[in-house]
Amino acid sequence: MTSERECYVYIVPPGATEFVTAGRFSVSSTPDGEAVGEFVYGRHYLERDDAVELDPVELRLRRGLYETARMDGLFGAIRDSMPDFWGRRIIERNIGHPQLEEFDYLMQGPDDRAGALGFGLNVEPPAPLRSFNRTLDLERLQATADAVINDMPIIADSAARQVEELMLLGTSMGGARPKTVVKRDQDLWLAKFTRYDDRWNHPRVEHGLLKLAQACGLTVADSDITTVAGRDVLLVRRFDRDRAEDGYRRHRMVSALTLLRSDDSAAARADWSYILLADEIRRVSAEPTADLHELFGRMCFNAAVSNLDDHPRNHAVLAKKRDWRLSPAFDLTPTPVIAIDRRDLAMTCGLFGRYANRENLLSEHGRFLLSEKKATAVVDGIVETVRAEWQSTMRGAGVSDADRKAIAGAFLYDGFFYEKAV
Ligand SMILES: Nc1ncnc2c1ncn2[C@@H]1O[C@H](COP(=O)(O)OP(=O)(O)O)[C@@H](O)[C@H]1O
Ligand SMILES: [Mg+2]
């Protein structure tokens, strides 16, 4: 016997603010544990003038059945719409039993997921979420996030309120850190909280690193700090939402994990590569040269500041209209490890593997459509800016003297400059 779960997939077309039904997705599993996913675009959807593809690699806009046996039957674009570590923790806490199937995680959670997709059991899509928490609700949300992290009971006015609050804690946004989505000045922002076990002020350090990346000429998400009940919260403006007269436009967003047709398993990590990502972006992007130069800059920046958590979920492409472009940079954090000879990025960055080293970064310049001379100018320009400005940028972001000392080892470690990378 096989079991089957299915749902409808909705999408907000470019320029619109309401969902339409794009197709149907199902996963069937056989008794021996094999899962097969199927997706088909709806006939009405394909007839629409504003019909767009769900992603630029796997689910191109055409009639007929798509099938996958990878990742428990999940297509990359659907996996990207699912909660990650933090969101799963909230859902498990809310539902009260951890025996959920992948499909359950897809169906759970409020309508705040990254990108333009939605999922549900009715052929008619639901109305979009109209009310959002505001920054003034952050104190309450932060307290709820603390309780989740500490596995403590949540004190709320009523059981219903408790569930509502839990589920609004960034359930559907990815990532591991505690977060939620709030509305500020009519825009939607991702609010990232502190954790009690943080070794330094994460919100301010991430804010500072985003500003430093910008100072290096990179395109980054807007960010700000707000202080709630004496604790700092990082606000990052969502670049996959834009306010319109009658709601929010939603831009499609696909992670680099999907572009690389990869996943989180140990075996798949061999495909995690800036070089392979560059090849994919060259095919997918409407402005390949500009996007590849930007990607090269980000790779060099991550190596220069030891952002070693630069895995493929922390890179994405975004489609505001029909065309795909590299998204602004997000989730930048320094990892001050002790090693001074060799540090590795999360993705291959040259002929010598993941080694965060200048010579290695330069070794595949052609794949980023850069001459050796230009690539050298980019990496050296980033090094100069990081050297000259990291302290003052961090100070400007309100990072304390003690925290600057704690993260200092992340910037321009010795091994970055070694020649003859091996
Ligand atoms: N500014 C943004 N706009 C839209 N989506 C974002 C933005 N920043 C992050 N995301 C999405 O949310 C996910 C989690 O955010 P991230 O900053 O990576 O959190 P974490 O530190 O927990 O990994 C990302 O993987 C990405 O899909
Ligand atoms: Mg992340």
Side-chain angles (χ1 to χ4, degrees), residues 175-176 192 309 311 313-314 330-331:
K192 295 177 77 173
D309 193 34
H311 53 74
R313 281 181 193 271
N314 283 335
F330 57 91
D331 200 6

Side-chain angles (χ1 to χ4, degrees), residues 32-45:
D32 49 355
E34 293 288 308
V36 177
E38 294 186 350
F39 176 80
V40 62
Y41 283 106
R43 195 162 41 84
H44 290 301
Y45 181 68

Side-chain angles (χ1 to χ4, degrees), residues 148-221:
V148 171
I149 293 167
N150 295 321
D151 265 334
M152 305 236 300
I154 291 160
I155 302 153
D157 311 357
S158 70
R161 168 93 175 270
Q162 176 173 326
V163 167
E164 192 181 305
E165 283 186 1
L166 263 177
M167 296 310 278
L168 283 169
L169 273 178
T171 322
S172 306
M173 297 297 286
R177 290 193 62 84
K179 59 176 73 61
T180 188
V181 176
V182 290
K183 183 165 152 184
R184 184 173 79 158
D185 303 336
Q186 302 302 321
D187 284 334
L188 295 181
W189 298 69
L190 194 60
K192 295 177 77 173
F193 299 116
T194 49
R195 282 181 58 118
Y196 68 93
D197 51 355
D198 283 345
R199 282 159 61 206
W200 53 80
N201 185 325
H202 268 257
R204 287 195 184 269
V205 167
E206 187 171 340
H207 179 54
L209 211 56
L210 288 164
K211 296 293 169 212
L212 186 62
Q214 195 170 32
C216 290
L218 300 173
T219 304
V220 302

Side-chain angles (χ1 to χ4, degrees), residues 80 84-86 113-115 172-179 188-190 192 202 206 220-222 234-241 253-255 309 311-316 318 327-333:
D80 285 349
D84 206 353
F85 181 80
W86 172 248
R113 60 186 95 234
S172 306
M173 297 297 286
R177 290 193 62 84
K179 59 176 73 61
L188 295 181
W189 298 69
L190 194 60
K192 295 177 77 173
H202 268 257
E206 187 171 340
V220 302
D222 288 344
L234 172 68
L235 295 175
V236 189
R237 203 178 72 78
R238 287 188 66 169
F239 45 67
D240 62 337
R241 294 286 185 277
M253 186 166 155
V254 162
S255 74
D309 193 34
H311 53 74
R313 281 181 193 271
N314 283 335
H315 296 276
L318 190 70
S327 80
F330 57 91
D331 200 6
L332 305 181
T333 37

Side-chain angles (χ1 to χ4, degrees), residues 26 53 79 106 121 123 127 154 159 171 179 193 203 222 245-246 285 343 346 365 383 387 399 405:
S26 67
E53 63 200 9
R79 182 263 325 272
L106 181 64
L121 295 176
V123 64
I154 291 160
T171 322
K179 59 176 73 61
F193 299 116
D222 288 344
E245 293 267 300
D246 55 344
S285 166
R343 295 179 188 175
H365 58 85
V383 166
R387 199 193 309 278
V399 177
K405 229 177 239 153

